[in-house]
Amino acid sequence: MSQHSPEVVGFYDEPTGSVQYVVIDTTTNRCAIIDPVLDFDPAAATTGTEQADEIAAFIRARSLEVEWILDTHPHADHLSAACYLQTLFDAPRAIGRRVTEVQALWKDIYNFGADFHTDGRQWDHLFAAGEHFRIGTLPAYVMFSPGHTLASITYVVGDAAFVHDTLFMPDFGTARADFPGADARALYRSIGEILSLPDETRLFTGHDYRPGGREPRWMATVAEQKRDNPHLQDMNEDRFVAMRERRDAELPLPDRMLAALQINIRGGAMPPAESNGQRYLKIPLDRF
């Protein structure tokens, strides 16, 4: 493993197809957690920490020091476990700066009151485009990758990039761009920027939907994406947008979206308890 090549360990969440990551600087045993999942049963509206506890157990077994808890965007398909993991490891939580635009958009959809703030204060740090940081001795920086959402970002850590819902594995294609604030043209341009990274860069996806029932996979190089991803072959922007709009029109709404986003635009925090001590989710009827 080269000086700037992190060890990356993925944790697969079967119910949502999500992949969570621990990114490790093996020279210092410092790490970051990326896109952790809080268990949620949408039928019973119950939450749990089994996925996050598995990550925590791994970190403790390896005697790692957590420097960052990172999200790539406010997720529509799962609840973020960032707040829960912060209680275990006391590391700062961060996301891209444009999350404030997503907060403003969804504040209106949920009709949240004046006590819901849309300035990103729910996180410890908001990354600017191009901002540099470190995980141990590993150099890292942020690429803004809008399209799937207004606020999507890519974390580039040494020779690894965490692209979440921008690209999937080459046998599955690219992310949808039909949520509020999404834009297929912006997605196409973001993919182009990601694929301008060196061909040997390892791209780690945020989901794997296991086409054909194969085993979960979540890493392909830039070169492999260029060569094998069917959504990238013989494409220009107009053809890509037409393809994405046609496919997106056939996709159902994620079954956790209306629950997940009102948690995730709070940085992963639960809604405040009401006078009876109970917390409640708010679901807009006939909006989608």
Side-chain angles (χ1 to χ4, degrees):
M1 197 172 290
S2 71
Q3 181 181 2
H4 293 154
S5 184
E7 179 184 355
V8 179
V9 180
F11 296 81
Y12 187 70
D13 177 48
E14 184 73 39
T16 65
S18 300
V19 189
Q20 313 150 87
Y21 295 102
V22 178
V23 185
I24 305 166
D25 174 22
T26 56
T27 64
T28 64
N29 273 354
R30 296 181 177 180
C31 71
I33 303 168
I34 298 181
D35 290 323
V37 172
L38 189 72
D39 302 298
F40 179 67
D41 180 344
T46 54
T47 62
T49 61
E50 182 178 351
Q51 288 290 319
D53 289 335
E54 182 182 354
I55 292 172
F58 169 81
I59 288 169
R60 290 170 177 143
R62 289 281 299 267
S63 299
L64 302 175
E65 180 182 348
V66 181
E67 288 199 318
W68 291 97
I69 302 170
L70 306 172
D71 272 302
T72 51
H73 66 290
H75 308 280
D77 47 28
H78 69 261
L79 279 62
S80 173
C83 283
Y84 172 70
L85 286 167
Q86 189 175 49
T87 68
L88 303 183
F89 296 112
D90 194 28
R93 292 178 294 108
I95 199 166
R97 183 174 291 177
R98 291 189 67 186
V99 72
T100 58
E101 299 175 46
V102 177
Q103 287 182 309
L105 175 67
W106 283 89
K107 177 179 181 176
D108 180 64
I109 291 172
Y110 289 118
N111 197 31
F112 286 159
D115 58 342
F116 179 78
H117 300 283
T118 60
D119 56 5
R121 68 180 66 183
Q122 297 86 350
W123 287 267
D124 301 300
H125 185 75
L126 301 181
F127 283 112
E131 184 171 345
H132 289 254
F133 65 106
R134 284 189 173 270
I135 301 168
T137 61
L138 292 168
Y141 69 93
V142 170
M143 296 173 62
F144 273 21
S145 304
H148 175 66
T149 75
L150 282 165
S152 298
I153 62 175
T154 294
Y155 294 106
V156 183
V157 185
D159 72 343
F162 298 86
V163 302
H164 207 273
D165 283 331
T166 303
L167 285 164
F168 295 130
M169 290 300 292
D171 60 350
F172 198 81
T174 57
R176 66 193 296 170
D178 61 332
F179 297 151
D183 186 312
R185 292 190 182 278
L187 179 64
Y188 180 82
R189 295 165 192 163
S190 293
I191 290 170
E193 291 182 10
I194 290 168
L195 296 182
S196 71
L197 293 168
D199 277 355
E200 64 273 16
T201 303
R202 297 176 291 160
L203 303 182
F204 291 90
T205 69
H207 287 288
D208 186 53
Y209 296 116
R210 304 176 58 193
R214 63 159 171 72
E215 287 301 304
R217 298 202 300 264
W218 46 77
M219 191 281 286
T221 65
V222 167
E224 288 168 337
Q225 287 282 6
K226 289 178 180 176
R227 185 188 68 219
D228 299 333
N229 193 313
H231 292 187
L232 306 178
Q233 307 307 311
D234 191 30
M235 277 291 177
N236 60 30
E237 186 171 309
D238 288 338
R239 284 197 292 271
F240 180 85
V241 169
M243 176 275 296
R244 240 342 339 139
E245 290 178 347
R246 183 174 62 254
R247 291 175 65 89
D248 291 349
E250 300 172 352
L251 297 175
L253 203 69
D255 64 358
R256 291 163 171 79
M257 185 177 99
L258 296 178
L261 277 164
Q262 60 193 289
I263 303 301
N264 295 338
I265 61 174
R266 290 182 167 98
M270 293 294 160
E274 297 192 10
S275 59
N276 62 354
Q278 179 67 53
R279 302 177 189 272
Y280 292 88
L281 294 174
K282 189 173 184 180
I283 304 299
L285 294 177
D286 302 320
R287 174 63 174 80
F288 294 96

